[in-house]
Amino acid sequence: MFRREREREFKEFNGGPPCGQVRVLVVGDSGVGKTSLVHLIVKGFSTACPPQTIGCTVGVKHTKYGSPGSSSSSLKGDAERDFFIELWDVSGHERYKDCRSLFYSQINGVIFVHDLSQRRTKTSLQQWASEIATTGTFSAPLSSGGPGGLPVPYIVIGNKADIAAKEGTRGSSGNLVDVARQWVEKQGLLPPSEELPLTESFPGSGSLIAAAKEARYDKEGLMKFFLDQETVFFR
Amino acid sequence: MAWGWGIYEGMVVIGSLVLLGWAGLWFLNRRLYKEYEEKRALVQIIFSVVFAFSCNLLQLVLFEIIPVLSREARLINWKVDLFCLILLLVFMLPYYHCYLMLCNSGVRKERAGLGAIIFLLAFLYAFWRMGVHFPMPSPDKGFFTMPQLVSRIGVVGVTVMAVLSGFGAVNLPYSYLSLFIREIDESEIKALERQLMQSIETCVAKKKKIILSQMEMERIQGSDENLKGRSFFKRIVGTVVRSVQDDQKEQDIKILDAEVQALEDLSKQLFLEIYELRQAKEAAAYSRTWKGHMQNLLGYAGSVYCVYKMIKSLQSVVFKEAGSVDPVTMSITILLQFFDIGIDAALLSQYISLLFIGILITISVRGFLTNLMKFFFAVSRVGSGSSSNVVLFLSEIMGMYFLSSILLIRKSLRTEYRLIITDVLGGDIQFDFYHRWFDAIFVASAFLSLILLSAHYTSRQADKHPID
């Protein structure tokens, strides 16, 4: 009697289709909050003061694809598939620059993170994009290249909105040299630094942009973004 | 006429101060703060002000040699500069530093101010008592006059200078000489990288297993509620069986958690090793370029100089010599002995003095700032401690360092240029004591770094060729 129950459970557990996997890089300058972001996505609550990331830590989130309400249904066959989203949180430190390239393998997408209270972190995202585009390998790359030649979808997340709001002026910092530089740029004496272009190019990402404008964490929108990208991969 | 001249001089002084302050700010924000950004403008301003005043002192020494401003202006400049610097170093910085620390740990502002004042009084008392052990101007000359304060600051500053010089003198040949550079094979790095990726993939696979087990447990607990309709006996049996299975699953999850943790630690270690190997490989590649060969030669020269300096310092400490002939005059007299060129010795000595002192100042400032950066990055790697505290502490050290370099540089100046320093600092200061103190600490620091670096080198060699 017990044996039969156990056997049934065993079959149910192992009889399902194998789980797919999606590998997403989380990159950005040191201290912008990548580890906290990954922790928030994976566990659902935030952690205070995580230690500095050395090398790379991976957070895994399980999700089901094909749930009702999904925007596209071009996946043939089964109604629901399990997916594991691997979030590769790479150390953003300047000195590990040459050692990081081994983590950029078989990437499906990239999350760029910057700190809203430190403007410098946003302008360095362009360099991050070119670094990944030149040294990384991608699975299922898109034909059209993004910024710096990045052939996979990406989203840009601005972190620490509460601190930036407290400071008053959004996008500036207490760094006096940067303040001076911004003033000079405003007068037109220096060309403005390049930033990553932001477009609503992926279907269904409108809710994310709205959430970004209101500075709130839209978990459903984020999950939908990941799942919508999978239609691209399995077309 | 005098008015215009005065305004011109004032503008020169203020202009150079502002320029130096801007340079300090630039250094702080572009070099030191590569990773963090300082939010408090006051900390940045304090650093740049201390930097400006300190460099101004050195600039004034140069102005002595090539008379840029009139004598009165220079004297006033000296006095004002010293006064401001000492005020900052002894009174303002300790107070603000303590106030900031208390504010950061959550104490209210008024209480933090009170605590900071108490700390300042304690600091001043300790500062005063420290002078008992060293030859200082006697207390009947007053308590907080300039010579008293400068002599005490001098002790701290000279100690810092000697420690840094000692370490630098040994470290320079060690890092420049190609003897100590080891060759790294690319295959070594590739093997480690493969190992790292493997451990990360295993870690990810285990995490997925944990998630699946947790989902399974939740599913079972969810289906518990559906069993209310079954018979009593079956329910009891069901709960026993399920709790055994649950325990087993929880144990499995715990074991997997521990394994994941171990794998993450392992990947951190591997990554750090890969980083070190890459650094070593870059150093080895650099040593093969022509720049690297020059560096090698510099290393040999540096080691010769280091040995010479150590012997000289030991000699001066043991035999208590008080040589007061500065090197420039000495070298010129030697030159004139061999070559009778007929150039005006005074003019020549002035230019050579300028060159020599200029090089000395540049090397000392640059060396100090490089060490500052290294220290700052080392502390930041530990991760703890706010950067404001480190910057304030470093400002204090920097002010004391530059002030004491004035004390020591006096020996390298010709007699006519020394006068103003002796005048401004007060004639009671025993300058010879500071030189002997410097030499003693220099020798001690050089020996210690020698021991440290040789231990580091032998441990690395042992790693490379492990004894089976």
Side-chain angles (χ1 to χ4, degrees):
Chain A
M1 191 172 44
F2 318 135
R3 232 181 291 131
R4 242 181 287 141
E5 280 180 49
R6 256 183 283 153
E7 275 175 22
R8 208 182 334 134
E9 282 173 27
F10 188 73
K11 250 189 251 151
E12 274 172 24
F13 184 50
N14 280 0
C19 298
Q21 81 173 35
V22 173
R23 191 172 285 188
V24 177
L25 271 188
V26 179
V27 292
D29 275 349
S30 177
V32 295
K34 303 181 287 294
T35 312
S36 309
L37 180 73
V38 170
H39 195 269
L40 181 64
I41 295 180
V42 168
K43 301 247 166 73
F45 59 91
S46 49
T47 172
C49 297
Q52 198 186 51
T53 317
I54 298 180
C56 172
T57 50
V58 184
V60 182
K61 180 146 184 80
H62 175 270
T63 184
K64 287 199 196 300
Y65 179 71
S67 40
S70 155
S71 61
S72 61
S73 50
S74 57
L75 189 61
K76 306 193 196 99
D78 34 17
E80 267 199 9
R81 268 191 77 176
D82 295 303
F83 271 103
F84 278 116
I85 304 180
E86 296 173 12
L87 296 159
W88 285 57
D89 166 23
V90 175
S91 158
H93 227 287
E94 184 75 26
R95 56 176 168 247
Y96 297 134
K97 192 164 169 165
D98 302 318
C99 316
R100 290 198 279 250
S101 44
L102 76 132
F103 297 128
Y104 303 156
S105 68
Q106 303 306 315
I107 306 174
N108 292 120
V110 185
I111 298 182
F112 292 103
V113 187
H114 69 103
D115 187 346
L116 281 168
S117 59
Q118 295 190 15
R119 190 151 156 194
R120 198 194 301 168
T121 53
K122 191 162 188 207
T123 47
S124 52
L125 291 181
Q126 187 77 14
Q127 289 147 5
W128 276 103
S130 16
E131 183 186 327
I132 298 175
T134 43
T135 55
T137 60
F138 308 95
S139 57
L142 305 169
S143 48
S144 60
L150 201 65
V152 284
Y154 66 93
I155 56 175
V156 178
I157 295 188
N159 216 356
K160 306 193 192 175
D162 47 348
I163 301 184
K166 231 193 288 173
E167 299 288 307
T169 50
R170 205 168 257 243
S172 84
S173 61
N175 184 329
L176 294 177
V177 173
D178 273 348
V179 167
R181 197 198 156 90
Q182 280 165 34
W183 182 85
V184 171
E185 278 176 14
K186 244 191 263 177
Q187 308 301 315
L189 296 169
L190 275 178
S193 5
E194 291 181 19
E195 289 189 1
L196 226 51
L198 294 176
T199 50
E200 286 191 35
S201 53
F202 296 109
S205 57
S207 67
L208 271 183
I209 304 229
K213 290 209 179 102
E214 296 163 30
R216 58 184 166 84
Y217 170 57
D218 185 354
K219 184 168 173 196
E220 305 307 322
L222 203 65
M223 287 299 118
K224 259 180 87 242
F225 172 79
F226 287 134
L227 299 173
D228 285 344
Q229 302 327 310
E230 286 148 24
T231 65
V232 178
F233 310 140
F234 293 102
R235 200 159 287 161
Chain B
M1 185 56 198
W3 257 112
W5 195 246
I7 292 180
Y8 160 73
E9 290 185 338
M11 277 180 51
V12 165
V13 168
I14 293 180
S16 62
L17 272 177
V18 165
L19 221 72
L20 286 171
W22 182 252
L25 204 64
W26 179 88
F27 172 74
L28 187 67
N29 282 321
R30 282 283 176 261
R31 290 304 185 82
L32 229 47
Y33 278 149
K34 267 200 218 160
E35 295 116 43
Y36 314 93
E37 281 194 11
E38 181 56 58
K39 283 294 155 36
R40 294 173 193 275
L42 195 56
V43 172
Q44 300 174 55
I45 290 179
I46 286 182
F47 181 87
S48 48
V49 164
V50 172
F51 183 82
F53 280 135
S54 321
C55 286
N56 196 26
L57 281 179
L58 297 172
Q59 195 185 16
L60 281 171
V61 172
L62 285 177
F63 283 175
E64 275 301 308
I65 304 179
I66 28 160
V68 171
L69 305 171
S70 68
R71 195 165 189 286
E72 299 80 34
R74 286 203 304 262
L75 201 62
I76 297 177
N77 201 353
W78 270 108
K79 291 216 152 104
V80 167
D81 204 299
L82 267 179
F83 178 74
C84 292
L85 194 59
I86 292 178
L87 201 72
L88 270 176
L89 286 181
V90 177
F91 294 102
M92 241 210 85
L93 260 179
Y95 171 79
Y96 188 65
H97 197 175
C98 183
Y99 176 77
L100 208 64
M101 278 210 295
L102 288 175
C103 274
N104 279 345
S105 37
V107 181
R108 268 189 347 216
K109 282 204 175 157
E110 307 83 36
R111 293 226 180 126
L114 198 64
I117 289 186
I118 295 178
F119 174 77
L120 179 67
L121 291 172
F123 174 82
L124 287 174
Y125 180 69
F127 201 57
W128 181 259
R129 288 297 296 175
M130 175 182 70
V132 168
H133 305 284
F134 302 102
M136 300 274 162
S138 55
D140 17 304
K141 300 280 176 69
F143 276 110
F144 282 119
T145 54
M146 201 115 60
Q148 302 276 12
L149 292 172
V150 169
S151 30
R152 281 164 177 76
I153 292 179
V155 172
V156 176
V158 166
T159 316
V160 171
M161 276 183 85
V163 166
L164 286 179
S165 308
F167 181 72
V170 176
N171 195 29
L172 189 104
Y174 180 71
S175 52
Y176 280 5
L177 282 178
S178 308
L179 263 176
F180 300 116
I181 301 205
R182 52 179 182 156
E183 292 293 338
I184 309 285
D185 225 357
E186 183 69 24
S187 56
E188 240 180 282
I189 300 185
K190 286 280 182 249
L192 273 180
E193 284 184 352
R194 242 176 299 137
Q195 215 179 338
L196 177 61
M197 280 310 271
Q198 253 176 9
S199 71
I200 292 185
E201 305 270 355
T202 324
C203 185
V204 171
K206 287 204 201 283
K207 282 193 178 172
K208 290 181 185 170
K209 254 198 246 173
I210 293 180
I211 291 183
L212 285 174
S213 311
Q214 278 171 342
M215 275 175 20
E216 183 67 20
M217 274 180 63
E218 278 168 20
R219 202 179 55 81
I220 294 174
Q221 278 167 6
S223 67
D224 261 348
E225 270 97 66
N226 301 343
L227 297 179
K228 292 290 159 62
R230 290 166 71 178
S231 76
F232 186 64
F233 182 62
K234 271 201 177 172
R235 257 189 291 161
I236 291 185
V237 162
T239 24
V240 168
V241 167
R242 209 153 283 111
S243 59
V244 166
Q245 280 182 339
D246 276 349
D247 277 344
Q248 185 61 35
K249 279 239 156 56
E250 277 198 37
Q251 278 292 83
D252 285 340
I253 291 183
K254 279 210 183 84
I255 293 178
L256 281 174
D257 259 334
E259 286 178 6
V260 160
Q261 190 61 38
L263 278 172
E264 285 189 337
D265 287 336
L266 175 68
S267 37
K268 233 186 266 195
Q269 282 299 108
L270 285 172
F271 185 76
L272 285 174
E273 267 185 53
I274 292 177
Y275 172 65
E276 269 191 40
L277 284 185
R278 279 209 190 271
Q279 296 270 79
K281 188 155 191 269
E282 259 185 60
Y286 183 74
S287 75
R288 268 177 252 125
T289 62
W290 66 269
K291 270 197 226 165
H293 287 305
M294 298 285 293
Q295 206 181 38
N296 194 20
L297 284 173
L298 223 68
Y300 280 117
S303 48
V304 167
Y305 174 72
C306 173
V307 170
Y308 163 75
K309 195 91 201 321
M310 276 175 73
I311 295 180
K312 278 292 294 277
S313 310
L314 213 57
Q315 199 180 27
S316 97
V317 167
V318 168
F319 296 122
K320 296 207 173 161
E321 288 175 5
S324 58
V325 183
D326 61 282
V328 177
T329 319
M330 205 165 53
S331 49
I332 287 188
T333 39
I334 294 177
L335 259 172
L336 286 181
Q337 268 176 2
F338 289 122
F339 309 100
D340 192 6
I341 309 179
I343 299 181
D344 184 12
L347 197 66
L348 187 68
S349 75
Q350 190 184 33
Y351 283 132
I352 294 189
S353 281
L354 184 67
L355 195 66
F356 184 67
I357 299 291
I359 293 180
L360 208 65
I361 288 179
T362 318
I363 291 184
S364 127
V365 170
R366 184 176 170 279
F368 181 74
L369 290 180
T370 326
N371 280 317
L372 209 76
M373 274 170 54
K374 274 194 225 157
F375 179 76
F376 190 75
F377 290 147
V379 167
S380 74
R381 200 182 291 200
V382 171
S384 66
S386 89
S387 52
S388 327
N389 281 331
V390 181
V391 169
L392 286 177
F393 178 70
L394 288 177
S395 316
E396 179 105 22
I397 296 287
M398 176 171 69
M400 294 193 177
Y401 180 94
F402 282 136
L403 195 55
S404 345
S405 61
I406 298 291
L407 282 174
L408 293 180
I409 226 173
R410 181 183 160 275
K411 189 175 177 191
S412 317
L413 292 171
R414 286 168 57 89
T415 338
E416 61 250 34
Y417 306 137
R418 285 186 199 176
L419 280 175
I420 195 165
I421 300 185
T422 328
D423 276 340
V424 169
L425 293 180
D428 297 325
I429 300 186
Q430 325 261 24
F431 291 102
D432 289 328
F433 158 72
Y434 290 106
H435 288 288
R436 282 206 318 274
W437 180 249
F438 178 89
D439 289 330
I441 304 275
F442 176 82
V443 168
S445 156
F447 264 127
L448 267 173
S449 4
L450 208 64
I451 294 174
L452 259 172
L453 286 178
S454 53
H456 184 244
Y457 179 68
T458 43
S459 78
R460 257 190 8 199
Q461 288 294 91
D463 274 345
K464 197 176 170 203
H465 306 288
I467 308 169
D468 326 78

